[in-house]
Amino acid sequence: MKKTLKQKLPIFKKFFLKNNSTKQILVKNTFWLISAEIISKFFLFLVTISIIRYLGVEMYGKFSYAIAFVSLFGILVDFGLGTMTIQEISGNRQKASAFFSSTLKLKVFLAVLTYLLILIFATAIPINEDVRIFIYLAGLYIIIQSFVLLFASLFQAFEKMEINFFARSGYTFLLLIFAVIIIFFHFSPPMLFLAYIISSGLILIISIYFVRRFLFSFSFKLGFSQARKLIHHSWPLFLGYVFITSYSYIDTIILKAFKGYQEVGLYQAGYKILYAFLIINIIHSVLFPRIVNLVTNNPKGLNRLLKVTISISFVGISIALVLIYFLRKNIILLIYGKQYLASANSMFILLVGGSLIYFSGFFFNLLLAKKQQLFWAFSLLLGLIVNIFANLILIPIYGNIGAAIAYCLGNFSILVVVFLKTKTLKE
């Protein structure tokens, strides 16, 4: 006899909304994270395509430059607190309320400081007035989004990926709705940043409600002595995120300096496809809480898990890259149109670089699980240095293709270093 919807609902709740056994948690979290990645990146991809087509190559270059500029400051408000939240709360959920309250207090202070720095530097540097307005608005978005991501880390620490699913999918859905309205009524380009700000703000409010409703209550009453402890423990993570963010956006800054907004627009068009491709990094979010647990409790099980996932990943990604190489021009034409056709080769090179950093992610997780934050940060610094020098050499000659090659070279150096380090840790 077929089960009715009423009979099926408790089974669904038990398996997909509660944490029971290790295997069930892994399957449940994988399901929700993959669903969140697919749905949110699908909506975000629609947003990106709409914005790119609406603004045109040069204006989109200005739009991307503003995001790159504020993101270099956004690392200060992050300060590695998201990763530290996962590390600390995954192992001891009883202290979650006190720890998170202290973290939020520090976060508010860093947010105010970060936005003041954005205002000061945006006013001081010689840029077009429309780009300056973009930067002011993008700065607000980066600040609000950093709080949203902190709450996402909290949900991850509790292995409540179903809440992350609703938050992430809801954000990108709202963003798509607001962006479509702005484009349909031909509002000015700065209004697009308001779509990002309002969507992030609404999701932040919902995230606060989810924590208070399903996890614990928190406040801002704890003293700054706790904040000092957080800074002491999180500064290696902060350094790492300084290098990650600089790595992600320094190519855009250098490209604009040497080649202008047109090349930035072409490069960022390819970069957005890389962003969609990196949905594969979902596996690292799924595995990290388990790796933290297995590092101390079951090292052999950890080795088996990593060998299987890395082997399957290598075969799948290799096949995908071969197909993308032959279809690269068709992909650009289909998504962006003829005006972006010159980004086809840089797009493919960026995807190769994205594959390299994907494999580095397995070793990043091992390093962070074993509290090797300093070496993790060092590997990122090495990649950043290689990336900057390669950009300075290659961009003046090859433009957006040179920036893509530099991205690959930096990622390859990171992969080699973290792989060798994790081998020594095992021994």
Side-chain angles (χ1 to χ4, degrees):
M1 187 180 234
K2 289 185 179 180
K3 291 185 178 180
T4 64
L5 183 61
K6 271 191 173 180
Q7 291 172 317
K8 289 179 180 178
L9 200 55
I11 299 172
F12 178 86
K13 283 183 177 180
K14 184 177 180 181
F15 192 85
F16 288 105
L17 298 178
K18 296 184 181 296
N19 291 348
N20 300 310
S21 65
T22 298
K23 287 184 180 179
Q24 178 266 338
I25 291 171
L26 194 59
V27 172
K28 183 207 78 168
N29 288 342
T30 302
F31 168 79
W32 286 116
L33 279 175
I34 289 176
S35 299
E37 281 289 302
I38 292 172
I39 293 173
S40 64
K41 286 200 171 180
F42 174 72
F43 287 147
L44 198 56
F45 199 54
L46 292 178
V47 171
T48 302
I49 294 170
S50 303
I51 290 174
I52 288 175
R53 286 178 173 269
Y54 180 64
L55 294 179
V57 178
E58 185 167 349
M59 184 58 74
Y60 182 66
K62 293 179 179 180
F63 187 90
S64 300
Y65 177 78
I67 293 175
F69 181 88
V70 299
S71 295
L72 293 176
F73 293 91
I75 50 183
L76 177 60
V77 71
D78 178 83
F79 213 83
L81 296 176
T83 301
M84 192 173 175
T85 296
I86 298 172
Q87 283 183 325
E88 295 298 319
I89 295 178
S90 292
N92 186 1
R93 291 174 184 171
Q94 285 72 33
K95 67 176 183 180
S97 179
F99 176 85
F100 197 69
S101 297
S102 296
T103 303
L104 274 178
K105 175 175 275 190
L106 177 59
K107 188 89 170 174
V108 170
F109 171 76
L110 292 172
V112 174
L113 177 61
T114 299
Y115 196 69
L116 285 175
L117 289 173
I118 289 172
L119 293 178
I120 291 167
F121 279 87
T123 305
I125 61 173
I127 52 174
N128 298 342
E129 193 58 33
D130 54 348
V131 178
R132 187 171 284 112
I133 292 170
F134 281 173
I135 288 173
Y136 293 154
L137 294 171
L140 287 174
Y141 161 66
I142 290 292
I143 297 294
I144 297 170
Q145 187 65 6
S146 73
F147 280 91
V148 173
L149 293 175
L150 179 64
F151 278 90
S153 297
L154 178 64
F155 300 139
Q156 188 176 343
F158 274 86
E159 297 187 285
K160 289 287 188 180
M161 307 306 184
E162 62 273 21
I163 301 179
N164 264 345
F165 166 80
F166 291 111
R168 290 188 60 191
S169 301
Y171 161 69
T172 50
F173 177 73
L174 287 172
L175 181 59
L176 177 61
I177 296 299
F178 290 133
V180 167
I181 291 170
I182 288 166
I183 291 169
F184 181 80
F185 288 102
H186 297 281
F187 289 124
S188 62
M191 291 294 291
L192 289 168
F193 278 113
L194 288 181
Y196 283 86
I197 291 168
I198 294 169
S199 302
S200 294
L202 289 173
I203 295 304
L204 178 59
I205 293 168
I206 292 169
S207 296
I208 293 170
Y209 168 77
F210 278 157
V211 172
R212 291 185 179 276
R213 174 72 176 80
F214 298 109
L215 299 182
F216 54 80
S217 60
F218 55 86
S219 68
F220 294 90
K221 294 180 181 178
L222 294 179
F224 275 100
S225 60
Q226 292 294 323
R228 285 196 296 270
K229 289 180 182 178
L230 283 172
I231 292 171
H232 175 73
H233 290 293
S234 66
W235 72 264
L237 294 169
F238 167 66
L239 274 183
Y241 285 110
V242 168
F243 304 144
I244 287 175
T245 307
S246 300
Y247 192 102
S248 300
Y249 295 103
I250 198 68
D251 45 8
T252 299
I253 304 297
I254 296 173
L255 192 57
K256 184 265 174 184
F258 280 104
K259 294 291 184 177
Y261 292 116
Q262 185 87 6
E263 286 289 306
V264 170
L266 291 171
Y267 180 70
Q268 281 296 319
Y271 208 95
K272 296 308 178 191
I273 294 177
L274 167 66
Y275 178 78
F277 177 80
L278 287 179
I279 190 175
I280 56 178
N281 279 332
I282 188 65
I283 191 66
H284 302 312
S285 298
V286 172
L287 289 179
F288 185 52
R290 289 292 96 195
I291 288 174
V292 171
N293 184 273
L294 292 173
V295 158
T296 52
N297 297 326
N298 190 0
K300 289 183 179 179
L302 175 61
N303 288 336
R304 285 195 301 271
L305 178 65
L306 290 176
K307 283 179 182 178
V308 170
T309 51
I310 290 173
S311 300
I312 293 172
S313 296
F314 181 79
V315 174
I317 289 174
S318 298
I319 294 170
L321 287 177
V322 170
L323 291 173
I324 291 168
Y325 174 77
F326 289 107
L327 297 172
R328 64 193 187 283
K329 291 185 179 179
N330 303 79
I331 292 169
I332 294 296
L333 283 171
L334 178 65
I335 296 173
Y336 301 130
K338 288 183 180 179
Q339 61 178 330
Y340 288 94
L341 191 57
S343 68
N345 289 330
S346 60
M347 179 268 292
F348 174 74
I349 297 168
L350 284 168
L351 295 182
V352 173
S355 302
L356 294 172
I357 207 65
Y358 165 77
F359 287 106
S360 298
F362 291 103
F363 307 110
F364 286 159
N365 276 351
L366 275 175
L367 290 171
L368 292 173
K370 295 185 177 184
K371 301 295 179 73
Q372 294 286 321
Q373 287 100 319
L374 272 177
F375 191 87
W376 170 75
F378 165 76
S379 70
L380 295 169
L381 173 60
L382 175 65
L384 175 62
I385 292 170
V386 171
N387 179 259
I388 290 173
F389 276 103
N391 272 309
L392 291 172
I393 294 167
L394 296 173
I395 284 177
I397 304 170
Y398 301 109
N400 67 89
I401 292 176
I405 295 171
Y407 177 77
C408 277
L409 292 174
N411 286 354
F412 180 73
S413 66
I414 291 172
L415 177 58
V416 171
V417 168
V418 294
F419 171 72
L420 294 175
K421 178 63 177 179
T422 50
K423 279 193 73 175
T424 62
L425 289 175
K426 288 178 187 178
E427 293 167 4

